[in-house]
Amino acid sequence: VINAGKSQHNEDQACCEVVFVERRPSPRGRLTSREGCGELDGVRAAEVKGFYFHYWALFDGHAGSGAAVMASEKLHVHICEQLRDLVDILQDPSPPPICLPHGPGDPTRVSVAEDEGEVPNDAVPRFHLEKAVSHESLVIGAIENAFKHMDDQIERERGAQPLAGGCRALAAIYLMGKFYVANAGDSRAIIIRNGEIIPMSREFTPETERQRLQFLALLRPELLGKEFTHLEFPRRIQPKELGKKMLYRDQNMNGWAYKKIEEDDLKFPLIYGEGKKARMMATIGVTRGLGDHDLKVFSSNIHIKPFLSCFPEVRVYDLTQYEHCPDDVLVLGTDGLWDVTNDREVAGVVMEVLTSYEPNDPCRYTMVAQELVVRSRGVLKERGWRLANDKLGSGDDISVFVIPL
Amino acid sequence: VINAGKSQHNEDQACCEVVFVERRPSPRGRLTSREGCGELDGVRAAEVKGFYFHYWALFDGHAGSGAAVMASEKLHVHICEQLRDLVDILQDPSPPPICLPHGPGDPTRVSVAEDEGEVPNDAVPRFHLEKAVSHESLVIGAIENAFKHMDDQIERERGAQPLAGGCRALAAIYLMGKFYVANAGDSRAIIIRNGEIIPMSREFTPETERQRLQFLALLRPELLGKEFTHLEFPRRIQPKELGKKMLYRDQNMNGWAYKKIEEDDLKFPLIYGEGKKARMMATIGVTRGLGDHDLKVFSSNIHIKPFLSCFPEVRVYDLTQYEHCPDDVLVLGTDGLWDVTNDREVAGVVMEVLTSYEPNDPCRYTMVAQELVVRSRGVLKERGWRLANDKLGSGDDISVFVIPL
């Protein structure tokens, strides 16, 4: 991670952890505890059951580092919490039960799960229509909800500590042979396997999420505070253009068509600009992320939430399905990297640096990450920081993980 | 097209046309007409300007063939109407104007477009932020709006004639070197080029559109008439299960998680079932299409629209970007084909049949289409219609176009 000058302090944060997911203590344990029989520790220790997951995450903060710092300290804890109820279910090879007799930690469950010595499981279809749900989709659901809980915590605690701003979040969780890559924002993850590039995320920006945002604005116009129109136009309309015909598109369209300009079209478009300059409500360039609960449109009382969503998209890569060599890696990077170095160039640097080290040298992956950061920063010349191709280097914070597969 | 027995009459309809898009008569022409100078015909004839498009479309009707018949007679007319305003713009290689001085057919436009002898064009950016819009995206917008106008026409005219029911619509438009494939429903288009399969559409079903539908239901709960919940569950919940925990997912989730069952969860799920049995509001298995304006949930006053959308997704294939041989084709088929014959099998039949005819035999493509239909129907054996692999043949209407590229 480096700060390349855009902000005074680094607003990128990173976290890397090995987390043990301990099965929630059973109610019987709690009962024993309350009864104070003194053997609790021994009983509890024997009951400790769980699994590990490996975790890497990048948080690209904006308007301060508060949200990014808190998310880097807590997101994996929320993921762990969501997984704790699933310890028995994920370790059981049979399909997850559709319905649990009662909630985990509920005495009724104990009578089934522990007194009969088995995990409750009603996976045998009892109805004509019953959808099979995989273990994998339970992990995805746990990660999705963990992002929501993380966002809620930032909202709750933002009064007590400096938590202004927000952050994009990109997390890679390795669990039971699979990588789960969760992305909320415009960071990016790619796998490079045998020289091939496999995208493991997509960016959430006003452009990529235009239709979702326009749909919400159409259905809940009060969220726009009479300042914005849900229609997109290729540029601002001037009052004197009333009655002329202009290109537009709405929530149903991917193409463009002409419409006669009406009074309402003079409002500012919900989505405006393109590429790195695209903005939602003239305020923010990403549409997913954590925090930003107090973010409003400049000099107005219009909130950016709920247009800004905290939910990630989770992609899964099954490591057991492929052979991997020491040069196969998962690269996570914030936009400080990707704005100036594309997928193909990143793959080139990975290949180049890895081959200059012994395959069993543990430093080689760190060296790739450093090299990616340094090349994206560029070198200071008379005309500013320049890349090898003489283009301007990234002025944004740059963070990179290179994870051997 | 064949009827394979599911309904008494064929509910699939097809259309294939070469359509001339004539530039709208100029207002000057109309003025001349009104002034009755008598030279109108000569003047108008000299003014005729336009272009052709080639058009193939399949309409898979349900609950009657009325909507499918009307759409097969009129959709290309609506596409033509949408394109008429774009004749000058699409034939001009410079980027489309963002803003037209005044609407086509408006006298002010004439003074610019014809008196100065050129197409109005303000494409030179006059503002810092001005999005470039391609000719291609104008055609896409025209097709999208044509589907909407088609749907509106069915709504308007359904009183006067038997237009109950609705239809899925799949249309391929060849225009200025590009194929535009527009799909609203669960028909499918694929290109087979040099043995490679290129998907040209995706299916719109309760499963593929779940999140859009759940989002709409959450924001407009009154559309559910207190009968449905926007949450998805793997099966119906029984009243006695209140308080237990069950798998669910909402509009933000792709994974699944457990929630405590509450009173509200006993309502019927908006999306229910999987695969061919998936239904929206327990009523319909597709989520895009034309017609169905009177379709309601059984014995209720709950309308399926606006959950059912008439807008297509349009994909573009640029024929000029690739070399094509006589065996490269675009295949359009209704679900009667795809339910029993997958992409790979269709490609196999295409290859097999085409190679048995001379490359310049114009019948060879028709023979492929016939063969695809016949093989998907199967042959009548003692235990019903059977495919070559002894599986049950398609009982649905089956329609196929095979179009040489």
Side-chain angles (χ1 to χ4, degrees):
Chain A
V1 178
I2 68 160
N3 171 271
K6 192 171 93 171
S7 52
Q8 194 182 355
H9 297 290
N10 196 349
E11 295 181 348
D12 274 12
Q13 295 292 321
C15 178
C16 167
E17 294 276 350
V18 179
V19 182
F20 183 68
V21 181
E22 184 186 334
R23 175 188 177 183
R24 242 177 252 293
S26 76
R28 186 158 57 182
R30 273 194 271 125
L31 284 172
T32 313
S33 162
R34 262 184 260 128
E35 288 164 4
C37 72
E39 287 181 334
L40 173 68
D41 286 348
V43 173
R44 289 283 302 272
E47 275 180 358
V48 169
K49 199 181 159 190
F51 52 74
Y52 286 93
F53 69 84
H54 292 67
Y55 169 88
W56 298 258
L58 296 176
F59 304 91
D60 180 350
H62 53 258
S65 60
V69 168
M70 178 181 254
S72 71
E73 289 169 350
K74 292 287 161 60
L75 179 60
H76 57 286
V77 179
H78 285 288
I79 294 172
C80 179
E81 275 301 308
Q82 293 297 313
L83 291 171
R84 287 187 72 183
D85 291 331
L86 305 173
V87 167
D88 290 332
I89 293 165
L90 293 179
Q91 291 184 324
D92 183 339
S94 55
I98 298 298
C99 186
L100 299 175
H102 276 81
D106 182 299
T108 316
R109 189 181 188 211
V110 179
S111 68
V112 178
E114 308 200 343
D115 290 354
E116 298 175 19
E118 57 178 16
V119 175
N121 194 333
D122 68 348
V124 183
R126 293 183 303 198
F127 295 84
H128 180 56
L129 278 171
E130 182 163 297
K131 210 162 193 162
V133 172
S134 64
H135 288 96
E136 183 179 300
S137 65
L138 285 192
V139 176
I140 294 171
I143 295 169
E144 289 169 332
N145 280 328
F147 271 66
K148 173 67 177 148
H149 283 275
M150 183 70 245
D151 197 51
D152 290 345
Q153 186 185 6
I154 294 174
E155 181 174 22
R156 272 196 317 275
E157 300 186 10
R158 76 192 194 284
Q161 46 185 302
L163 271 178
C167 65
R168 296 85 149 141
L170 171 64
I173 294 105
Y174 173 71
L175 173 64
M176 297 177 178
K178 291 177 180 174
F179 256 113
Y180 297 83
V181 179
N183 187 39
D186 61 358
S187 296
R188 187 187 300 167
I190 62 172
I191 279 175
I192 300 162
R193 188 185 65 209
N194 199 15
E196 183 195 356
I197 292 164
I198 303 161
M200 287 303 294
S201 68
R202 63 184 170 108
E203 285 83 71
F204 293 96
T205 69
E207 289 188 294
T208 64
E209 291 221 274
R210 174 181 58 82
Q211 288 179 287
R212 173 180 76 79
L213 301 168
Q214 289 183 314
F215 193 40
L216 175 57
L218 178 75
L219 295 175
R220 298 278 299 275
E222 70 277 12
L223 297 174
L224 301 179
K226 296 182 182 166
E227 295 292 328
F228 296 91
T229 164
H230 76 284
L231 297 180
E232 185 186 14
F233 300 101
R235 64 162 167 81
R236 280 308 300 277
I237 302 174
Q238 299 171 293
K240 67 176 183 191
E241 293 177 307
L242 264 175
K244 293 186 181 180
K245 288 206 163 190
M246 194 164 197
L247 287 172
Y248 82 101
R249 53 182 175 174
D250 66 20
Q251 70 288 343
N252 292 311
M253 300 168 71
N254 268 308
W256 295 81
Y258 290 98
K259 84 181 283 290
K260 194 169 176 182
I261 300 170
E262 295 161 52
E263 195 70 35
D264 213 51
D265 303 327
L266 298 178
K267 293 176 181 171
F268 203 89
L270 173 68
I271 306 296
Y272 187 54
E274 55 187 329
K276 289 301 283 183
K277 286 181 176 150
R279 290 288 177 275
M280 172 168 67
M281 299 171 123
T283 302
I284 189 168
V286 285
T287 53
R288 305 270 185 126
L290 303 168
D292 282 323
H293 297 90
D294 297 315
L295 186 61
K296 293 176 185 178
V297 174
F298 181 70
S299 82
S300 85
N301 205 27
I302 304 168
H303 280 82
I304 299 300
K305 292 223 173 202
F307 291 96
L308 176 66
S309 161
C310 67
F311 280 89
E313 182 190 67
V314 182
R315 296 197 182 181
V316 183
Y317 180 82
D318 189 344
L319 274 164
T320 65
Q321 295 296 301
Y322 307 93
E323 296 269 342
H324 294 95
C325 74
D327 290 1
D328 295 338
V329 294
L330 169 63
V331 178
L332 311 182
T334 54
D335 64 340
L337 170 71
W338 304 106
D339 285 350
V340 299
T341 313
N342 66 31
D343 294 7
R344 181 60 37 215
E345 291 164 339
V346 166
V349 172
V350 167
M351 212 104 64
E352 179 190 325
V353 177
L354 287 182
T355 50
S356 67
Y357 289 83
E358 293 294 322
N360 56 357
D361 183 339
C363 290
R364 64 203 295 263
Y365 305 103
T366 308
M367 297 315 295
V368 175
Q370 286 188 13
E371 185 67 22
L372 284 170
V373 169
V374 166
R375 288 205 196 182
S376 300
R377 180 70 185 104
V379 290
L380 188 56
K381 298 190 178 172
E382 279 175 27
R383 297 153 302 119
W385 293 81
R386 295 283 162 175
L387 305 178
N389 60 15
D390 210 46
K391 284 188 185 160
L392 214 55
S394 183
D396 200 356
D397 299 332
I398 310 168
S399 306
V400 179
F401 270 122
V402 175
I403 305 163
L405 295 181
Chain B
V1 178
I2 68 161
N3 170 272
K6 191 172 94 173
S7 52
Q8 194 182 355
H9 298 290
N10 197 351
E11 295 180 349
D12 274 10
Q13 294 292 321
C15 178
C16 167
E17 293 276 350
V18 179
V19 182
F20 183 68
V21 182
E22 184 187 335
R23 175 189 177 182
R24 244 178 252 292
S26 75
R28 187 159 53 181
R30 272 194 273 125
L31 283 172
T32 312
S33 164
R34 263 183 261 130
E35 288 164 4
C37 72
E39 287 182 334
L40 174 67
D41 285 347
V43 172
R44 287 283 302 275
E47 274 180 359
V48 169
K49 201 180 155 188
F51 51 74
Y52 286 93
F53 68 84
H54 292 67
Y55 169 90
W56 298 258
L58 296 176
F59 304 91
D60 180 351
H62 53 259
S65 59
V69 168
M70 178 182 254
S72 71
E73 289 169 352
K74 292 286 162 60
L75 179 60
H76 57 286
V77 179
H78 285 288
I79 294 172
C80 179
E81 275 301 307
Q82 293 297 312
L83 289 172
R84 286 187 72 183
D85 291 330
L86 304 174
V87 167
D88 289 332
I89 293 165
L90 293 179
Q91 291 185 324
D92 182 340
S94 53
I98 298 297
C99 187
L100 298 176
H102 276 85
D106 183 299
T108 316
R109 190 179 187 214
V110 179
S111 68
V112 179
E114 307 201 343
D115 290 354
E116 297 174 19
E118 57 179 16
V119 175
N121 193 335
D122 68 347
V124 183
R126 294 182 302 198
F127 295 83
H128 180 58
L129 277 171
E130 181 162 298
K131 210 163 193 162
V133 173
S134 64
H135 288 95
E136 181 179 303
S137 65
L138 286 191
V139 177
I140 295 171
I143 295 168
E144 289 169 333
N145 280 328
F147 271 67
K148 174 66 178 148
H149 284 276
M150 183 71 246
D151 198 50
D152 290 345
Q153 186 185 5
I154 295 174
E155 181 174 22
R156 272 197 316 275
E157 301 186 9
R158 75 193 196 283
Q161 45 185 303
L163 271 177
C167 65
R168 296 86 148 139
L170 171 63
I173 294 105
Y174 173 71
L175 173 64
M176 296 176 179
K178 291 177 179 173
F179 256 113
Y180 296 83
V181 179
N183 187 40
D186 61 357
S187 297
R188 187 187 299 167
I190 63 171
I191 279 176
I192 301 161
R193 187 185 66 210
N194 200 14
E196 182 196 357
I197 293 164
I198 303 161
M200 287 302 295
S201 67
R202 64 185 170 106
E203 286 83 71
F204 293 96
T205 69
E207 288 188 295
T208 65
E209 292 221 275
R210 175 181 57 83
Q211 288 179 286
R212 172 179 79 79
L213 302 168
Q214 289 183 313
F215 192 40
L216 174 58
L218 178 75
L219 294 175
R220 299 279 297 276
E222 70 276 13
L223 296 175
L224 300 179
K226 296 180 181 166
E227 294 292 329
F228 295 92
T229 165
H230 76 285
L231 297 180
E232 185 186 12
F233 300 101
R235 64 162 167 79
R236 281 306 300 277
I237 303 173
Q238 298 171 291
K240 67 177 183 191
E241 292 177 307
L242 264 175
K244 293 185 181 181
K245 287 206 164 191
M246 192 164 198
L247 286 173
Y248 81 102
R249 53 182 174 175
D250 66 21
Q251 71 287 345
N252 292 309
M253 300 169 70
N254 268 308
W256 294 81
Y258 291 98
K259 83 179 286 289
K260 195 170 173 179
I261 299 170
E262 294 160 53
E263 194 72 35
D264 213 50
D265 303 327
L266 298 179
K267 294 176 180 170
F268 203 89
L270 173 68
I271 307 297
Y272 187 53
E274 55 187 329
K276 289 301 284 184
K277 286 180 177 152
R279 289 288 178 276
M280 172 168 67
M281 299 171 122
T283 302
I284 188 167
V286 284
T287 54
R288 305 269 184 125
L290 302 168
D292 282 324
H293 297 90
D294 297 315
L295 186 60
K296 293 177 185 179
V297 174
F298 181 70
S299 81
S300 85
N301 205 26
I302 303 167
H303 280 82
I304 299 301
K305 291 224 173 202
F307 291 96
L308 176 66
S309 160
C310 67
F311 280 89
E313 182 189 67
V314 182
R315 295 197 182 180
V316 183
Y317 180 81
D318 188 345
L319 274 166
T320 66
Q321 295 295 300
Y322 307 93
E323 296 268 342
H324 294 95
C325 74
D327 289 2
D328 295 338
V329 294
L330 169 63
V331 178
L332 311 183
T334 54
D335 64 341
L337 170 71
W338 305 105
D339 285 351
V340 299
T341 313
N342 65 31
D343 294 7
R344 182 57 39 215
E345 290 164 340
V346 166
V349 172
V350 167
M351 211 106 62
E352 180 189 325
V353 177
L354 287 182
T355 50
S356 68
Y357 289 83
E358 292 295 322
N360 56 357
D361 184 340
C363 289
R364 63 205 295 265
Y365 306 103
T366 307
M367 297 315 295
V368 175
Q370 286 188 11
E371 185 67 23
L372 285 170
V373 169
V374 167
R375 288 207 197 181
S376 300
R377 179 70 185 106
V379 289
L380 187 56
K381 298 189 178 173
E382 277 175 29
R383 296 154 302 118
W385 293 81
R386 295 283 162 176
L387 305 179
N389 59 17
D390 210 45
K391 283 187 184 161
L392 214 55
S394 183
D396 200 356
D397 299 331
I398 310 169
S399 307
V400 180
F401 270 122
V402 175
I403 306 163
L405 294 183

